[in-house]
Amino acid sequence: MSATRAETAFLSYQRTIGLSTMEGRGFYYPADTAIGADEKLYVVSRSLEGDARGVRVTVCNPDSEYFGTFASSGEEDGQLIWPTAIDIDPDGRVFITDEYTNRISIFDTSGDFRSAWGVSGTEEGQLDGPSGLVLDGDNNVYVADHQNHRIQKFTSDGQFLLAFGSRGDGEGQLNLPWGMTIDGQGDLYVADWRNDRIQKFAPEGRFLATYGSPGRGDGQFHRPASVAVDPEGYMYVADWGNERVQVLDPSGAFVTKLRGEATDSVWALDFLRINVEEAEARARANLEPKMDFFDDDPHDESSHIEKYFWAPVSVKLDSAGRLYVTESNRHRIQIYQRG
Amino acid sequence: MSLANGNRALVVIQLSGGNDGLNTVIPYNNELYYDQRPSVHIEQGQVLRLDDELGLSPALGPIKRLWDQDKVAVINGIGYPNPNRSHFRSMDVWHTAETDKVGSEGWLGRAIRDLDPKADNVLTGVNFGRGLPRALACKDVPVASVANVETYGLLPDIQDERAKALALKAFSMMYGGADGKDAVAQFLSQTGMNALKGADILRTAPAKYSSTVEYASTPIADSLKNIAQVICADLGTRVYYAQHGSFDTHAAELDSHAKLWKDVSDAIGDFTDDLREHDREDDVVILVFSEFGRRIMDNGSGTDHGSGSAAFVIGGPVQGGMYGEYPSLKPADQLEGDLHFSTDFRSAYSTILEQWFGLDAVPIVNGTFEQLDFIRR
Amino acid sequence: MTESNVALVAHLMRRAGFGATRSQLEEYVDKGYHATVDELLHPVDPQRMPDEMIRRYHAEQSGMMGQNSPGAYWLYRMISTTAPLHEKIALFWHSVFATGYTKITQGKVLIDQIRMFRRYGLGSFRELLVELSKDPAMIIWLDNQDNHNGSINENYGRELLELFSMGVGNYTEQDVKECARSFTGWTIANTEYMELRARRDSIWPYGRIAWHFEYREEDHDDGEKTFLGETGRFNGEDIIDIICRQPATARFISRHLYHFFVADEPPVPQWPYTPPRDPAAIETLSRVYFDSSYSISAMLEALFKSEWFQSKETWFEKVKSPAELVASVLRLTGEFERPRREILDTAMHIVYMGQHLINPPSVEGWHQGVEWIDTGTLVERVNFASKHLGNLDAPGVRAIVERIKSQLGPMISPERLVDGCLDQMGAISVSPESRNVLIQFASEQGDLTVDGPDANGHVDRRVTDTMQVIAATHEFQRA
């Protein structure tokens, strides 16, 4: 029981924002969220293949205020096919990776396209599936060049600086890396997806530490997608394949885990207000059923229990100690407050 | 009608995704419309007025022009009993004219079968797009599905022209001569030869065609241009099918709905101009429909799935005007927040089948429905 | 290794799987025919593209909101698995227990049903029918949520007997009613909300919610029933026990297996009036059904090891279904060794060819055999196969071309080119007429010289031209 009390104290659920929509206000298979000035959130939706709609950046804030969208689906300038990560620099430039076109597109916060860079290939400076992206304090860009199983560092206009990592499961090696973050010292944390671990690197790429091991237990990971680090060094991991968020302390010891407790967002309530029969039937339904699941993959559980995380692809922290968990399959963001 | 029945053609344009009928044919003098559509409405001043009550969205300019020429029948409140608000089920209902059970034969497939009972012409029905809509599906009715007339045919991916010609020759040798083959092989062979023949005929259409009309570069305009080419080539095609979408405007509706309708409406305008230039305007009736309408109340940025919508029948042979009653927007008259239908869609089908094609509509639409007199006599 | 062994294993792999490359065939031949059958039925440590890989790139194949992602996901499995019979048996049961998107309006519960077919489809038919009766998609598809104590809805009860186990003519209308009574209370949880969401195609607010079975004791009619001559206070499982004991069930399932794996039979509604193509085969399978306590894998083992299956008479007797055609082409071309965005467009060709996976046209499923073919679908089939087999960027096509050049060069006659392509494309045996046409096609372009550098890719192109025409042969379109 004491463990449970400690867990709730560490992170407490605040609210949910989002709604499943292909256009305008809402998200459609969101891939990542960036936090800009004035608490503005930039949520990039990946949408689905076979439909030109849905891909966009939705700008909103934690209070569900909606400010508009920018970018669209395609291969032209200002367009995206498989957007995966988004980050914002202090000058208000928005960087978005595209795993399909192997480009990094740059917009300003009003949504105007600025430029794009990136060349397909396996040589240094070339990209095969840029997934995670994070900016350092000097406005350089780390890109998880994931099909090349390495991290590359570029200047913000795409000049190659350095690369590290190779395919494997040894220390400092990578297998299909995904999300990344940077701590106060400038050290880089990488969600080493296929190796079921988080690795920490010095700014120039020197291996520093590895956290976690494959599995579904506490402190273990299954295909982690994203990591965030707070000023004290606690790590928050989107344990994607386990459909949960885990927190590790600075030494890597397990602290707590979250399974998700989403509630109706402001936009969801707008929908339910107009669609009264659905609201009434929803109110009468038991959305947290007890049932037997097909297998031990929590993906199945999350498909049945709406409040649980389903495909948590991104964790981000803001300066107020709030944790934003973006869930691709649920088209929403759950917000938790650090206690 | 100056032309023999055999030239009469029907072009069906499917608006996929559920067109917002209320923002297409707008009750611009009705306060209830503006009350229930606080965010997603067309301003009174922008409406293209058809009469004192109803007007078109400004995106439908070319259709308004045709209305002024008395060539547009607006069918208000079109739908069916116990409406289903799922795209797929509702589209199936429209395709099969079967409201109670899941039907497998399409109404146009049956019409093609009755127009060409011996399947003499492999091009009696032509679908523009990939995959056959269920509306055109009917056993033993050949229908060509064409992405683009100019590239349509067998083995388009053999790059070298000479190799391709030889490959097509090989195909015709393998699929020709069914002697001594089993029943499956005979059927395959005959179908293969029909496909080859259909493709060969169809590909001649663009070469025979010239026009001063310049279509926009949109998918629906491409399809309608292809249809004009086939019509002008006199290949005996009677039923054409094309679709556009997605009209599923749950969010940011005002912009997207206007763009969608501009594409459709401009394409129809160009298409009818093209037919007139080729003196074929009186041979073609266009039916424009969608699987359902949308909720009366908007959701702040778009509209959700509803029922009851508007359809259009357009063309030289059409007696323009309003058909069917515009549904009431009063809360007490609503069906779970949606419009009640006033006109069964099978009435429109029956009218086209009987008055335009001279077919017995009853077995095609599974019943007897009131005729709407929108075909000029 | 004799060539006839290779051709026989190729036949097996076309039927029990989705075809195989020449080198895979050689591995199977080395194992032996019977051992290959055993491995297909009981694979050890099967490999395929993992779900996590698919879900990472294709969000919609994880969330499964719509109607097309299940087909793309399933196609990944069909083309990447080392246990193809598991996918084939799921396809088989999907065509027998046809459940469609139009009424379910979400991919998740339908792909969950396919997953159930994979797990139970080769086991006991009794267990499978129990799982089927609890399957949420099936319950909504055939209205069993409306089947209440005191107010029955017969839809599921009827189809269970007519289409899923015995076939018409083997039970009375009274049996249908008693069967339906026995399945009262078998429903899905949150019926009202889930049904409403399905009817409204709702993805709001947060995407689809999967369905699950719920048994409502208070809504179950626990009274006495008389079903097929037996009397008791039957529940659904008791009814399934009785169904499984019926010779009619054995024959019906045997005929379905024969129809799918051996040779096309007429559409199911004609079965009561048309005798089976091979009554002795049906008798054999029926006997195995009872001897093995309704084991589908035992029936299939008997089927694949029978003379009538292996007989050349049955080779190429079936028309490939669109899913089989597309999967067999992609297993040759190897284009999706890692997830690629193009999988959806590729899978859509199955739809264009007339088979929308997870959305069969009705509860009767697809009519098979020649009904797959019309002018539109034939064009799609030939063009799809020829387009992909002509793609030299595809690793599998490249491998075939290199093998032909190295094994047959430097001077390749038209005969050897044609025979080499047929062999490398999976030991395809074509009729003498087809072969002659292919040779004529090849000879009109002259002998092929594989000597020195192929600067402009001329040699490669000649090989793929031939493969593209082979894609159009009857034999390639059949299985």
Side-chain angles (χ1 to χ4, degrees), chain B residues 36-67:
Chain B
Q36 296 175 85
R37 284 287 175 93
S39 309
V40 187
H41 61 259
I42 310 283
E43 298 295 343
Q44 201 176 40
Q46 293 190 314
V47 167
L48 309 175
R49 297 180 183 205
L50 301 180
D51 59 26
D52 292 342
E53 291 168 16
L54 301 174
L56 297 176
S57 151
L60 277 73
I63 291 179
K64 170 65 163 54
R65 215 173 59 229
L66 291 162
W67 166 272

Side-chain angles (χ1 to χ4, degrees), chain A residues 34-150:
Chain A
I35 301 163
D38 307 321
E39 292 197 329
K40 273 191 182 161
L41 304 176
Y42 297 78
V43 184
V44 64
S45 286
R46 182 152 168 147
S47 191
L48 47 74
E49 292 98 58
D51 196 317
R53 298 174 304 158
V55 171
R56 67 202 189 273
V57 176
T58 305
V59 188
C60 59
N61 73 12
D63 298 322
S64 291
E65 277 186 87
Y66 167 67
F67 303 108
T69 67
F70 62 86
S72 61
S73 176
E75 297 188 53
E76 304 291 315
D77 281 348
Q79 296 189 314
L80 308 161
I81 297 281
W82 265 3
T84 306
I86 184 167
D87 201 3
I88 300 184
D89 75 7
D91 300 332
R93 289 187 300 173
V94 181
F95 292 70
I96 302 174
T97 57
D98 187 333
E99 286 181 329
Y100 183 82
T101 60
N102 293 323
R103 285 192 313 182
I104 316 299
S105 290
I106 303 166
F107 300 81
D108 61 32
T109 46
S110 58
D112 290 328
F113 173 76
R114 291 275 205 82
S115 60
W117 48 263
V119 176
S120 305
T122 57
E123 303 293 311
E124 277 194 345
Q126 297 180 332
L127 297 167
D128 186 5
S131 54
L133 176 147
V134 66
L135 296 155
D136 71 6
D138 301 323
N139 263 355
N140 293 318
V141 186
Y142 288 96
V143 176
D145 179 19
H146 88 285
Q147 295 280 6
N148 286 326
H149 311 283
R150 66 184 175 189

Side-chain angles (χ1 to χ4, degrees), chain B residues 61-355:
Chain B
I63 291 179
K64 170 65 163 54
R65 215 173 59 229
L66 291 162
W67 166 272
D68 293 338
Q69 297 165 22
D70 220 13
K71 292 171 185 166
V72 176
V74 177
I75 306 174
N76 292 307
I78 196 163
Y80 56 90
N82 304 315
N84 191 296
R85 295 167 183 90
S86 143
H87 295 292
F88 312 96
R89 178 64 197 129
S90 196
M91 197 58 95
D92 255 18
V93 167
W94 279 83
H95 281 191
T96 60
E98 188 76 75
T99 54
D100 300 325
K101 57 175 189 174
V102 177
S104 57
E105 276 190 349
W107 75 285
L108 292 169
R110 288 174 171 173
I112 294 164
R113 184 189 57 200
D114 291 356
L115 287 165
D116 182 13
K118 293 184 189 155
D120 291 326
N121 185 347
V122 295
L123 297 174
T124 301
V126 178
N127 169 51
F128 287 84
R130 297 305 290 268
L132 199 63
R134 201 166 285 183
L136 290 158
C138 184
K139 191 166 154 44
D140 296 330
V141 171
V143 175
S145 268
V146 179
N148 181 326
V149 170
E150 285 166 42
T151 56
Y152 180 69
L154 282 152
L155 300 167
D157 293 294
I158 295 184
Q159 288 157 6
D160 179 68
E161 281 304 316
R162 179 159 175 274
K164 185 170 159 182
L166 291 172
L168 286 170
K169 187 174 125 194
F171 183 92
S172 106
M173 288 168 71
M174 290 190 294
Y175 283 75
D179 298 346
K181 293 180 182 168
D182 63 55
V184 175
Q186 284 185 26
F187 181 83
L188 258 173
S189 293
Q190 189 198 330
T191 311
M193 291 310 284
N194 279 344
L196 198 59
K197 192 168 82 185
D200 283 348
I201 300 169
L202 211 49
R203 256 199 325 271
T204 62
K208 294 184 192 168
Y209 163 93
S210 76
S211 174
T212 62
V213 175
E214 286 188 25
Y215 288 81
S217 166
T218 63
I220 186 65
D222 290 344
S223 293
L224 288 180
K225 181 181 177 184
N226 277 174
I227 291 172
Q229 290 174 330
V230 178
I231 289 171
C232 294
D234 285 316
L235 305 181
T237 303
R238 310 292 301 278
V239 175
Y240 300 86
Y241 206 91
Q243 41 190 305
H244 195 63
S246 165
F247 283 80
D248 198 15
T249 49
H250 291 282
E253 172 174 325
L254 286 175
D255 289 345
S256 58
H257 193 250
K259 168 80 170 75
L260 287 159
W261 262 111
K262 183 176 186 316
D263 290 352
V264 171
S265 177
D266 286 358
I268 289 174
D270 288 343
F271 177 65
T272 50
D273 286 350
D274 202 4
L275 293 178
R276 192 174 317 117
E277 179 174 320
H278 292 90
D279 200 22
R280 303 302 293 264
E281 200 182 9
D282 287 336
D283 293 345
V284 181
V285 167
I286 305 166
L287 168 68
V288 185
F289 83 97
S290 189
E291 72 268 35
F292 50 59
R294 307 193 74 84
R295 302 245 97 153
I296 299 175
M297 191 84 85
D298 72 45
N299 65 21
S301 104
T303 53
D304 301 313
H305 301 180
S307 66
S309 187
F312 297 94
V313 183
I314 300 171
V318 172
Q319 176 64 56
M322 292 288 176
Y323 297 81
E325 192 186 333
Y326 201 92
S328 165
L329 273 67
K330 290 182 186 142
D333 294 337
Q334 294 177 7
L335 172 70
E336 299 176 325
D338 293 339
L339 299 170
H340 263 292
F341 84 109
S342 61
T343 309
D344 196 294
F345 72 105
R346 290 164 291 190
S347 281
Y349 286 5
S350 299
T351 309
I352 292 168
L353 292 167
E354 301 217 341
Q355 298 186 29

Side-chain angles (χ1 to χ4, degrees), chain C residues 43 58 181 186 212 218 256 258 285 316 399 430:
Chain C
H58 305 284
R181 282 180 64 208
W186 292 49
H212 64 277
E218 76 284 2
H256 261 301
Y258 185 94
L285 293 176
F316 303 103
V430 298

Side-chain angles (χ1 to χ4, degrees), chain A residues 141-162:
Chain A
V141 186
Y142 288 96
V143 176
D145 179 19
H146 88 285
Q147 295 280 6
N148 286 326
H149 311 283
R150 66 184 175 189
I151 309 300
Q152 298 203 69
K153 187 176 181 182
F154 299 89
T155 63
S156 63
D157 58 359
Q159 300 301 309
F160 171 77
L161 296 173
L162 60 91

